[in-house]
Amino acid sequence: MTDMDGWVAFAGVGPGDEALLTMRAIRLLGAADLVVAEPEVADRLRHLIRPDAQVAEPADVAGTARTLLQAAKAGGLAVRLYPGDPLLSGAVGEVQACANAKARFEIVPGVPAATAVPGYAGIPLTSEGGGELRVIYAAEASQVSYGPGTLVVIGAETAPQDLGKMLIAAGWPDVTPFAITWDGTTTDQQTVATTLGRIGPDLKAAGVTVATTRGGAVAVVGAAAATAGRFSWYETKPLFGWRVLVPRTREQASAVSDRLREYGGVPEEVPTIAVEPPRTPQQMERAVKGLVTGRYQWVAFTSTNAVRAVREKLEEYGLDARAFAGVKVAAVGEQTSAALRDFGIRPDLTPEGQQSAEGLADAWPPFDDLLDPINRVLLPRADIATETLLARLTDLGWEAEDVTAYRTVRAAPPPAPIREAIKGGGFDAVLFTSSSTVRNLVGIAGKPHAVTVIGVIGPQTAKTAAEFGLRVDVTAPRPSVTALVDALAEFGAAQRDAAAVAGEPLRRPSERRRGARRRLR
């Protein structure tokens, strides 16, 4: 051991998909005092890094090792990130420096591109009975003699056609199956299957040129490459590579974004509504006091923002979910119910049909003076909430106390590149979850381009979109954000199937606008 109190971790982050990080790598990133990584890697994983951690770019081996050891000597944890696996990506020199300095260090393996990228392309590298597997770098291709089994080539992006020529010159038949995957495990992934003798023309037919490629590529050579497409599971996701605008408050957008990623989409969260506290807090203070003293029989939540506002006010007074003891709770829909359950409260009433204030009003029981000891309902809402539920409760014999729990204001305009993408057709789809998101997005960023697929959560939102001259392509079968994303995925799958039946290349909506150049996906 050494007199150093700190230590160094060399962690692999896989070839691109954040989901391939190991739990150990995530834990170390959250604890690191210093993170050394290439800028593109650091930017992709910044949300996993402590806000107060130092982030530095690597230098040469000696310089990087010196930076890592200085942090360790100061008593900190230094994490050096490598794409793929550390020991397959050049970490040996820096590891050797730590060993020579007798510093404590750890190596966290990562998923290597040589196996992950073919896996994401659906290409099995070996058969059930085994089979030879060789992994080389592209520069070594001329030295690899023909043989059975599978050859995986790292760094195949430089000159795929020359790679084919080198292998043929080394004795490989020109009809040998060849599959190459760019930007593997990311939503820009594209796989092209061909043979060694037809790499050039088949890449051209697929629209792959020097101008359209960006990231690295991994090639598979041999009989295994012939299965490319047969087991494709990633690139065939219904929204694969779709850039989808999610115009909601940032807190509300997360559930939509997570579901979009499951379908292969690339969500872009653009807040259109900012939630702020009420201008005068006295109403909420009286409501919390009444909740604790048993003033209410029911509390009705019509949004996740209302749940958050009440929860924050309770916690401000040192209270928790126990303040709801003896009170019945109603929730307008699945997202609001999820926010309540996160607070430890299970709703007593949710609408079975339409998940809206109207749906909740239809499900609300009338006041019964024999069964209900109290007739008051607390209704914490936004300052611009509609009066439908309030009027319905009154008709049913309840005394509803309408309390402003939060204010909604229009958010600031998004950055210029986002605004240009919205108006210029850079987004494949936009999802509107309320009439206010339609009005606010158009107000702060302009109307989406005509090629952009418009999805709405229900008829009222569709009506508002039509008033702004937007063509509605997708409407959720029920007013739920998950149902809206699922409906968009069904729309994307139908487009994919139609292209396959017509024998046409699949193009995302953004690729259909005038002047749009086909890009590698």
Side-chain angles (χ1 to χ4, degrees):
M1 294 297 290
T2 174
D3 58 356
M4 294 182 184
D5 294 323
W7 55 296
V8 180
F10 300 90
V13 297
D17 187 347
E18 181 188 317
L20 296 180
L21 263 72
T22 63
M23 294 179 66
R24 180 59 175 166
I26 294 173
R27 192 173 299 120
L28 290 172
L29 280 173
D33 300 290
L34 167 69
V35 176
V36 179
E38 299 293 344
E40 60 273 16
V41 174
D43 289 343
R44 176 162 53 91
L45 302 178
R46 193 169 295 275
H47 63 289
L48 299 175
I49 301 172
R50 266 178 32 205
D52 61 337
Q54 180 185 356
V55 179
E57 293 185 36
D60 56 23
V61 173
T64 301
R66 187 162 48 249
T67 299
L68 295 170
L69 289 169
Q70 286 174 349
K73 191 171 184 178
L77 166 60
V79 177
R80 172 70 163 102
L81 299 181
Y82 281 90
D85 182 87
L87 296 184
L88 290 176
S89 303
V92 175
E94 295 165 13
V95 172
Q96 183 64 57
C98 287
N100 292 342
K102 300 188 184 312
R104 176 188 168 197
F105 67 89
E106 175 181 340
I107 298 173
V108 182
V111 180
T115 57
V117 174
Y120 269 55
I123 301 174
L125 297 181
T126 60
S127 64
E128 292 183 3
E132 182 183 18
L133 174 63
R134 290 179 284 177
V135 180
I136 66 166
Y137 289 96
E140 304 169 316
S142 60
Q143 307 167 24
V144 181
S145 59
Y146 173 70
T150 304
L151 180 68
V152 177
V153 185
I154 306 297
E157 69 277 359
T158 305
Q161 193 168 358
D162 292 343
L163 174 62
K165 292 177 180 177
M166 286 191 290
L167 289 172
I168 291 172
W172 292 72
D174 61 357
V175 295
T176 303
F178 177 91
I180 182 168
T181 302
W182 272 270
D183 296 305
T185 80
T186 75
T187 49
D188 288 319
Q189 177 175 308
Q190 183 181 16
T191 301
V192 177
T194 179
T195 61
L196 291 179
R198 289 194 51 83
I199 294 176
D202 285 350
L203 289 182
K204 183 178 180 180
V208 178
T209 66
V210 175
T212 61
T213 58
R214 293 189 303 276
V218 174
V220 178
V221 187
T227 64
R230 190 186 310 169
F231 302 134
S232 180
W233 63 274
Y234 188 58
E235 294 173 48
T236 54
K237 288 188 173 186
L239 299 178
F240 182 77
W242 281 42
R243 189 181 180 195
V244 183
L245 182 70
V246 183
R248 306 190 78 196
T249 63
R250 188 163 301 279
E251 294 81 4
Q252 293 172 325
S254 59
V256 180
S257 296
D258 289 345
R259 200 163 187 88
L260 283 169
R261 292 187 187 97
E262 292 177 10
Y263 287 116
V266 184
E268 185 87 46
E269 298 176 3
V270 177
T272 58
I273 300 172
V275 176
E276 297 181 357
R279 288 191 173 89
T280 56
Q282 287 81 5
Q283 267 194 327
M284 277 290 286
E285 290 171 357
R286 286 196 297 269
V288 169
K289 181 179 179 181
L291 188 64
V292 174
T293 57
R295 177 176 175 80
Y296 305 107
Q297 175 79 353
W298 282 91
V299 180
F301 290 99
T302 56
S303 71
T304 57
N305 288 324
V307 176
R308 186 177 299 109
V310 172
R311 179 174 181 172
E312 289 175 353
K313 181 60 69 172
L314 287 171
E315 291 174 345
E316 182 181 322
Y317 290 112
L319 302 172
D320 55 26
R322 287 173 292 185
F324 287 84
V327 179
K328 294 182 179 180
V329 177
V332 75
E334 61 183 35
Q335 297 300 315
T336 307
S337 296
L340 284 167
R341 285 193 296 271
D342 185 60
F343 189 31
I345 299 169
R346 183 181 296 275
D348 298 284
L349 177 67
T350 55
E352 294 183 0
Q354 185 180 6
Q355 296 188 12
S356 64
E358 291 81 358
L360 186 58
D362 291 339
W364 203 280
F367 172 69
D368 187 328
D369 56 5
L370 296 178
L371 299 177
D372 300 308
I374 305 170
N375 74 334
R376 295 188 193 90
V377 178
L378 173 60
L379 191 57
R381 300 190 298 166
D383 55 336
I384 57 172
T386 60
E387 302 302 316
T388 304
L389 181 58
L390 182 64
R392 177 63 173 160
L393 290 174
T394 302
D395 291 342
L396 291 171
W398 295 95
E399 181 185 336
E401 293 190 4
D402 194 15
V403 174
T404 299
Y406 61 95
R407 293 185 299 123
T408 56
V409 297
R410 181 178 290 180
I418 298 295
R419 298 199 303 272
E420 292 168 4
I422 291 171
K423 293 182 286 188
F427 284 98
D428 297 289
V430 57
L431 298 181
F432 290 115
T433 55
S434 66
S435 293
S436 60
T437 57
V438 178
R439 290 189 291 267
N440 289 344
L441 180 71
V442 173
I444 66 177
K447 289 172 54 176
H449 192 279
V451 300
T452 306
V453 174
I454 303 297
V456 298
I457 201 167
Q460 186 58 49
T461 308
K463 180 180 177 182
T464 304
E467 291 172 356
F468 281 90
L470 299 177
R471 179 201 68 251
V472 174
D473 303 287
V474 177
T475 302
R478 63 182 189 280
S480 154
V481 293
T482 54
L484 176 56
V485 177
D486 293 346
L488 180 65
E490 290 180 11
F491 180 89
Q495 289 199 323
R496 179 179 295 277
D497 293 344
V501 170
E504 299 174 351
L506 179 66
R507 299 173 64 199
R508 299 194 307 273
S510 61
E511 294 172 325
R512 300 180 189 135
R513 68 189 190 278
R514 181 175 297 179
R517 185 174 64 183
R518 176 169 170 77
R519 297 176 58 201
L520 176 69
R521 297 184 298 138

